[in-house]
Amino acid sequence: MPSLRNYFIAVALGASVFATPTLFAAEQARFGYGSPASAEQIAGWDIDVRPDGQGLPPGEGSVEDGEELYEEKCALCHGSFGESVGGYPALAGGDGSLTDPRPKKTVGSYWRYTSTLWDYIHRAMPFTQPESLTDDEVYAITAYVLHLNDIVDYDFVLTRDNLASIRLPNEDNFIPDERPDTRNKRCMKRCKNPDEVIVASEAAAYVAEGGPDALYSQGDAQEDGVVTTVMGSGVYERHCALCHAGGIGGAPMMGDADAWASRLDQGMDVLYQHAIEGYSGEDGIMPPKGGFVNLPNSEVNLAVDYIVEQSQ
């Protein structure tokens, strides 16, 4: 008569024999829901571009065409010559500055691969309309940015076939990080009492241009005799013109009295509220503070005052 232990071993082995086909079927079925991704579905997500050019779509764009597109879609933030406007990233210049205390990291001075430039423009630009550019437009703007950095001539035409051959000046200065991965050990004994931990320093809080006094609204500043350097025009140029200068996303253009008439009828308090809290309507969408959530309400109001003044 077999022992009880041997009996359980036999039962377990038998169960594993019968369970194996079931587990295998479940593995093949992948939980029994969904369906395999089609080639078309995968292609919709497979948009990355490698340094050797793999992943680039067919197309081409000249520096000459890119100049016009850049002025229309990029210069407002990055400057006509890639010098940067309103704190947005500079795209050109900075040659030889990487060893300076404040290096200027641009496409020409710092970036490693041309494919990164093409890929980033394709995915994320323009700032207010990402992925709105055609492939040929991306090639053209990429070519123009390369020209701004004196990497290609004005008569150059960028294509899928020659993009990988264009080497950026700083490519060879990137080196692999050979430091080993490490993990902190969890404290299991003699741990610090959280109440005794002292914060020695903190990152500086956002302070508007002009210092703390600039956080006053224009009316409060005048009432209290405070001179503030923040102007509604400056806030508009840095944070609002992206949409309101060109009517992007249904935004009413500054200076269009007809577009602003019905909005002004609602009163300034409503305009302030929509600008600060955001608004969604039939004509378009206004994200809270235009997407710049670090802006003080007072600066948003100054920008609204400026736009209204210019649009009546």
Side-chain angles (χ1 to χ4, degrees), residues 24 43 97 162 193 208 226 263:
F24 181 74
S97 71
N162 65 15
N193 181 352
V226 176
R263 293 172 170 85

Side-chain angles (χ1 to χ4, degrees), residues 218-270:
Q218 194 167 17
D220 291 342
Q222 293 172 347
E223 201 172 297
D224 294 349
V226 176
V227 177
T228 173
T229 61
V230 171
M231 304 291 291
S233 58
V235 180
Y236 167 81
E237 290 295 336
R238 287 192 299 274
H239 304 293
C240 312
L242 284 170
C243 296
H244 289 283
I248 293 174
M253 294 176 61
M254 187 178 74
D256 187 344
D258 292 337
W260 282 95
S262 60
R263 293 172 170 85
L264 290 175
D265 289 343
Q266 300 176 76
M268 292 300 295
D269 288 341
V270 173

Side-chain angles (χ1 to χ4, degrees), residues 8-89:
F8 281 119
I9 291 175
V11 170
L13 288 173
S16 66
V17 169
F18 287 105
T20 299
T22 304
L23 293 174
F24 181 74
E27 175 64 20
Q28 282 190 318
R30 295 185 180 276
F31 305 107
Y33 62 86
S35 59
S38 67
E40 291 77 12
Q41 289 172 324
I42 294 173
W45 289 92
D46 186 16
I47 64 172
D48 62 300
V49 178
R50 296 194 336 188
D52 62 1
Q54 183 170 326
L56 284 168
E60 64 177 36
S62 67
V63 172
E64 184 176 4
D65 290 339
E67 181 176 19
E68 183 175 346
L69 287 165
Y70 180 92
E71 281 295 330
E72 177 187 347
K73 299 179 180 294
C74 315
L76 184 65
C77 297
H78 297 289
S80 294
F81 302 100
E83 72 277 16
S84 167
V85 175
Y88 290 93

Side-chain angles (χ1 to χ4, degrees), residues 5 10 31 89 140 167 171 199:
R5 176 176 177 274
F31 305 107
R167 315 300 287 270
E171 177 181 343
V199 178

